[in-house]
Amino acid sequence: MAILYLPRFQGAALAVWRRNTLVWRKLAGPSIFINFGEPFLYLLGLGYGLGLFIGEMMNMPYLTFLASGILASSSMNTASFEAMFSVFTRMIPQKTYEAILTTPLEVQDILAGEMLWCATKCIISGSAILIVAALLGAVHDWHALWVPLVLFLVGLCFSGMGLVMTALAPGYDFFNYYVTLVLTPMFILSGVFYPVTSLPVALQSLVQLLPLSHAVDLIRPLVAGLPLSNVAGHIAVLAGYGLAGYLIAVHLTRRRLLV
Amino acid sequence: MSSVVQIEGLVKRYDGREVVRGIDLSVPAGCCFGVLGPNGAGKTTTLRVLLGQSPVNGGEIRVFGLPIPQSGRAVRARTGVVPQADNLDPDFTVAENLRVYGRYFGIPFATLETRLRELLEFVGLTERADARIATLSGGMKRRLIFARALINDPELVVLDEPTTGLDPQVRHMIWGRLRDLRQSGKTLLLTTHYMEEAERLCDELVILDQGRILEQGTPAALIKKHAEPEVIEVRGEERLARQALVSSGDGRFEAIGDTCYYYTRDARAVVKRLEGMSGLAFLHRPANLEDVFLKLTGRELRD
């Protein structure tokens, strides 16, 4: 059995993306309110509050340090939760995919469309955070305008991984394992709140294997106006996780739905 | 006449259990073709297979002359599907359901909007175009699913138990629409376990049981072949009914549930006898497809 299912990106996957966009537009008001409200709370509460004691971290105000970390981690959460809870709803209880699979689309198109949508959502919520951060004076460089593009990649990465969990999930409770064992440790260890270099060396190399730290390493210099390093490496890790997740998810989801 | 669907030697196993055991099937173009069978006979599996939604363990399938599953996309682009269960998109209104579904086929905007209006008219849902799915009755949902199956102007329409659980009004409406579609030259392939539905609609049908085809033909030919032309149904105490019927002639006697059936070439003598008896209600009618179905598939219950 062939492992590689390449989607027909032009029409098919975009139809799924458009479906989700249409649903989102119906609830856009509350959704955007949360997109702006949450980072305000985080950046004001933690950034100013903690920043008062911390002052600078790695040659930048703590608010800038934290804002760039939150940009990465919130995209991780946005993409992961959309790819798990929302996709599971469409796949199993709501039978949306069952209906779509009677059209020319195949599983690989549906999942490609879902990943594009998750990544789009990351751009939407990430841009809100970026605007809030800029209003609070945490953004130091026009290069920050590249951040949404990075968040798109971060979205593809984590939605690909989340889709694997969804393909395996017997029910919603299953996602708790992934959140507790993978997402939360990554959130705490990947340099969102403090530099990875303050961790024990062994832990540092482990963190380097996980995608979130690479997202942080791309975003932080763009926001702080510092030079980027190892850009290709960071992009490769994020893209690699996303692509591997996609291919595994397509394989597992086909096995689950095409019986 | 060319075949729209051609299945040869189809075998399908679930966890080592063979649910389809060597089916040959040929659906001629422009025909309304019925697949009849008790629950678990393999009807739905067969439909899923020919849409390329289910891998097979043996056999060759061609739809529009194209091989399945390799050409699944191309086949589904020209096919409409009415699934057994409701899978409308609850996030959308009636019209949005059709619009979003139409986009999966890549139908251009103007064509889609025109067709959308025509189809809502066709199934009598124009007034409800902006209603949310949750506010629709079961019959309306079924009609919308039916309209959705036609959004790509399909050459073949596959219907999996299209009228199960519907009230008589909706059922008759759908039957009428199916006849319209057949008139306009489309090929229809439907599964059902309503014999009346099959007898009314199908030009040709197969009776499927335990993964095998038991019989194939036109409804009239099957009735002629397998059932005596006249039937007497008697409701009441079985012992009494049996006595009255069996002693009346050389007909065939069967008891299913609380009803006794007596199949015969000439029912005059039995009718006369039953009219003279009190305590037994009886019905004298011509044989129908249900008689054939029960004879071929037996009378034990299926799950």
PDB file of all heavy atoms in Angstrom, chain B residues 16 22 30 38 46 60-61 108 149 191 202 210 215 217 220 224 228 270:
ATOM      1  N   GLY B  16     -12.092 -11.030   8.894  1.00  0.00           N
ATOM      2  CA  GLY B  16     -12.096 -12.442   8.535  1.00  0.00           C
ATOM      3  C   GLY B  16     -13.478 -13.025   8.234  1.00  0.00           C
ATOM      4  O   GLY B  16     -13.601 -14.121   7.712  1.00  0.00           O
ATOM      5  N   GLY B  22     -18.899 -13.147  -3.322  1.00  0.00           N
ATOM      6  CA  GLY B  22     -18.924 -13.429  -4.751  1.00  0.00           C
ATOM      7  C   GLY B  22     -20.179 -12.933  -5.433  1.00  0.00           C
ATOM      8  O   GLY B  22     -21.029 -13.712  -5.846  1.00  0.00           O
ATOM      9  N   GLY B  30     -29.817   3.878 -17.571  1.00  0.00           N
ATOM     10  CA  GLY B  30     -31.190   4.354 -17.643  1.00  0.00           C
ATOM     11  C   GLY B  30     -32.191   3.493 -16.906  1.00  0.00           C
ATOM     12  O   GLY B  30     -33.396   3.677 -17.024  1.00  0.00           O
ATOM     13  N   PRO B  38     -32.434  -8.676   3.482  1.00  0.00           N
ATOM     14  CA  PRO B  38     -32.622  -8.381   4.897  1.00  0.00           C
ATOM     15  C   PRO B  38     -31.433  -7.607   5.450  1.00  0.00           C
ATOM     16  O   PRO B  38     -30.410  -7.471   4.770  1.00  0.00           O
ATOM     17  CB  PRO B  38     -32.723  -9.759   5.553  1.00  0.00           C
ATOM     18  CG  PRO B  38     -32.310 -10.747   4.543  1.00  0.00           C
ATOM     19  CD  PRO B  38     -32.243 -10.090   3.215  1.00  0.00           C
ATOM     20  N   THR B  46     -21.880  -3.245  -0.524  1.00  0.00           N
ATOM     21  CA  THR B  46     -21.761  -3.247  -1.983  1.00  0.00           C
ATOM     22  C   THR B  46     -21.771  -1.819  -2.532  1.00  0.00           C
ATOM     23  O   THR B  46     -20.973  -1.477  -3.404  1.00  0.00           O
ATOM     24  CB  THR B  46     -22.916  -4.070  -2.606  1.00  0.00           C
ATOM     25  OG1 THR B  46     -22.911  -5.359  -2.017  1.00  0.00           O
ATOM     26  CG2 THR B  46     -22.750  -4.192  -4.103  1.00  0.00           C
ATOM     27  N   GLU B  60     -13.844  -7.635  -9.441  1.00  0.00           N
ATOM     28  CA  GLU B  60     -13.562  -6.491 -10.289  1.00  0.00           C
ATOM     29  C   GLU B  60     -14.781  -5.597 -10.364  1.00  0.00           C
ATOM     30  O   GLU B  60     -15.904  -6.079 -10.539  1.00  0.00           O
ATOM     31  CB  GLU B  60     -13.207  -6.989 -11.695  1.00  0.00           C
ATOM     32  CG  GLU B  60     -11.842  -6.488 -12.139  1.00  0.00           C
ATOM     33  CD  GLU B  60     -11.462  -7.093 -13.460  1.00  0.00           C
ATOM     34  OE1 GLU B  60     -11.899  -6.541 -14.481  1.00  0.00           O
ATOM     35  OE2 GLU B  60     -10.757  -8.117 -13.456  1.00  0.00           O
ATOM     36  N   ILE B  61     -14.539  -4.294 -10.210  1.00  0.00           N
ATOM     37  CA  ILE B  61     -15.659  -3.356 -10.221  1.00  0.00           C
ATOM     38  C   ILE B  61     -15.377  -2.272 -11.248  1.00  0.00           C
ATOM     39  O   ILE B  61     -14.294  -1.676 -11.247  1.00  0.00           O
ATOM     40  CB  ILE B  61     -15.875  -2.702  -8.836  1.00  0.00           C
ATOM     41  CG1 ILE B  61     -16.089  -3.777  -7.778  1.00  0.00           C
ATOM     42  CG2 ILE B  61     -17.047  -1.751  -8.849  1.00  0.00           C
ATOM     43  CD1 ILE B  61     -14.977  -3.893  -6.804  1.00  0.00           C
ATOM     44  N   PRO B 108     -18.854  25.585 -10.844  1.00  0.00           N
ATOM     45  CA  PRO B 108     -18.705  27.040 -10.917  1.00  0.00           C
ATOM     46  C   PRO B 108     -19.860  27.763 -10.224  1.00  0.00           C
ATOM     47  O   PRO B 108     -20.984  27.265 -10.204  1.00  0.00           O
ATOM     48  CB  PRO B 108     -18.727  27.344 -12.417  1.00  0.00           C
ATOM     49  CG  PRO B 108     -18.494  26.046 -13.089  1.00  0.00           C
ATOM     50  CD  PRO B 108     -18.902  24.954 -12.159  1.00  0.00           C
ATOM     51  N   ALA B 149     -27.801  15.173  -3.232  1.00  0.00           N
ATOM     52  CA  ALA B 149     -27.259  14.108  -4.082  1.00  0.00           C
ATOM     53  C   ALA B 149     -27.322  14.479  -5.563  1.00  0.00           C
ATOM     54  O   ALA B 149     -26.643  13.877  -6.389  1.00  0.00           O
ATOM     55  CB  ALA B 149     -28.008  12.804  -3.845  1.00  0.00           C
ATOM     56  N   THR B 191     -31.036   0.521  -2.632  1.00  0.00           N
ATOM     57  CA  THR B 191     -31.258  -0.610  -1.743  1.00  0.00           C
ATOM     58  C   THR B 191     -32.518  -0.315  -0.954  1.00  0.00           C
ATOM     59  O   THR B 191     -32.858   0.835  -0.705  1.00  0.00           O
ATOM     60  CB  THR B 191     -30.124  -0.798  -0.718  1.00  0.00           C
ATOM     61  OG1 THR B 191     -30.248   0.204   0.289  1.00  0.00           O
ATOM     62  CG2 THR B 191     -28.759  -0.706  -1.366  1.00  0.00           C
ATOM     63  N   CYS B 202     -38.643  -0.372  -9.323  1.00  0.00           N
ATOM     64  CA  CYS B 202     -37.496  -1.024  -9.974  1.00  0.00           C
ATOM     65  C   CYS B 202     -37.865  -1.713 -11.272  1.00  0.00           C
ATOM     66  O   CYS B 202     -38.851  -2.434 -11.363  1.00  0.00           O
ATOM     67  CB  CYS B 202     -36.870  -2.031  -9.023  1.00  0.00           C
ATOM     68  SG  CYS B 202     -36.207  -1.251  -7.556  1.00  0.00           S
ATOM     69  N   GLN B 210     -27.119 -12.896   2.998  1.00  0.00           N
ATOM     70  CA  GLN B 210     -25.858 -13.413   3.525  1.00  0.00           C
ATOM     71  C   GLN B 210     -24.727 -13.322   2.510  1.00  0.00           C
ATOM     72  O   GLN B 210     -23.966 -14.256   2.317  1.00  0.00           O
ATOM     73  CB  GLN B 210     -26.063 -14.840   4.010  1.00  0.00           C
ATOM     74  CG  GLN B 210     -27.034 -14.860   5.178  1.00  0.00           C
ATOM     75  CD  GLN B 210     -27.373 -16.252   5.670  1.00  0.00           C
ATOM     76  OE1 GLN B 210     -27.094 -17.222   4.993  1.00  0.00           O
ATOM     77  NE2 GLN B 210     -27.969 -16.315   6.832  1.00  0.00           N
ATOM     78  N   GLU B 215     -31.449 -14.268  -6.318  1.00  0.00           N
ATOM     79  CA  GLU B 215     -32.298 -14.228  -7.491  1.00  0.00           C
ATOM     80  C   GLU B 215     -32.179 -12.871  -8.158  1.00  0.00           C
ATOM     81  O   GLU B 215     -31.823 -11.886  -7.524  1.00  0.00           O
ATOM     82  CB  GLU B 215     -33.747 -14.495  -7.046  1.00  0.00           C
ATOM     83  CG  GLU B 215     -34.741 -14.719  -8.139  1.00  0.00           C
ATOM     84  CD  GLU B 215     -34.372 -15.807  -9.135  1.00  0.00           C
ATOM     85  OE1 GLU B 215     -33.613 -15.485 -10.092  1.00  0.00           O
ATOM     86  OE2 GLU B 215     -34.816 -16.955  -8.986  1.00  0.00           O
ATOM     87  N   GLY B 217     -34.044 -10.394 -11.523  1.00  0.00           N
ATOM     88  CA  GLY B 217     -35.038 -10.304 -12.585  1.00  0.00           C
ATOM     89  C   GLY B 217     -35.941  -9.102 -12.404  1.00  0.00           C
ATOM     90  O   GLY B 217     -35.706  -8.278 -11.522  1.00  0.00           O
ATOM     91  N   ALA B 220     -42.073  -8.467 -11.765  1.00  0.00           N
ATOM     92  CA  ALA B 220     -43.157  -9.331 -12.258  1.00  0.00           C
ATOM     93  C   ALA B 220     -42.662 -10.746 -12.532  1.00  0.00           C
ATOM     94  O   ALA B 220     -43.323 -11.729 -12.169  1.00  0.00           O
ATOM     95  CB  ALA B 220     -43.771  -8.725 -13.521  1.00  0.00           C
ATOM     96  N   LYS B 224     -43.815 -14.194 -10.685  1.00  0.00           N
ATOM     97  CA  LYS B 224     -44.354 -15.287 -11.488  1.00  0.00           C
ATOM     98  C   LYS B 224     -43.578 -16.576 -11.231  1.00  0.00           C
ATOM     99  O   LYS B 224     -44.149 -17.656 -11.125  1.00  0.00           O
ATOM    100  CB  LYS B 224     -44.274 -14.908 -12.969  1.00  0.00           C
ATOM    101  CG  LYS B 224     -45.231 -15.694 -13.806  1.00  0.00           C
ATOM    102  CD  LYS B 224     -45.398 -15.085 -15.182  1.00  0.00           C
ATOM    103  CE  LYS B 224     -46.263 -16.023 -16.024  1.00  0.00           C
ATOM    104  NZ  LYS B 224     -46.096 -15.791 -17.446  1.00  0.00           N
ATOM    105  N   GLU B 228     -47.078 -18.533  -6.132  1.00  0.00           N
ATOM    106  CA  GLU B 228     -48.335 -18.861  -6.753  1.00  0.00           C
ATOM    107  C   GLU B 228     -49.124 -17.561  -6.904  1.00  0.00           C
ATOM    108  O   GLU B 228     -48.946 -16.649  -6.094  1.00  0.00           O
ATOM    109  CB  GLU B 228     -49.097 -19.850  -5.865  1.00  0.00           C
ATOM    110  CG  GLU B 228     -48.424 -21.200  -5.722  1.00  0.00           C
ATOM    111  CD  GLU B 228     -47.269 -21.216  -4.711  1.00  0.00           C
ATOM    112  OE1 GLU B 228     -46.893 -20.135  -4.202  1.00  0.00           O
ATOM    113  OE2 GLU B 228     -46.737 -22.310  -4.450  1.00  0.00           O
ATOM    114  N   VAL B 270     -61.088 -22.176  -1.158  1.00  0.00           N
ATOM    115  CA  VAL B 270     -60.668 -21.782   0.189  1.00  0.00           C
ATOM    116  C   VAL B 270     -61.454 -20.570   0.662  1.00  0.00           C
ATOM    117  O   VAL B 270     -61.878 -20.495   1.823  1.00  0.00           O
ATOM    118  CB  VAL B 270     -59.158 -21.461   0.206  1.00  0.00           C
ATOM    119  CG1 VAL B 270     -58.669 -21.326   1.641  1.00  0.00           C
ATOM    120  CG2 VAL B 270     -58.374 -22.522  -0.521  1.00  0.00           C
TER     121      VAL B 270
END
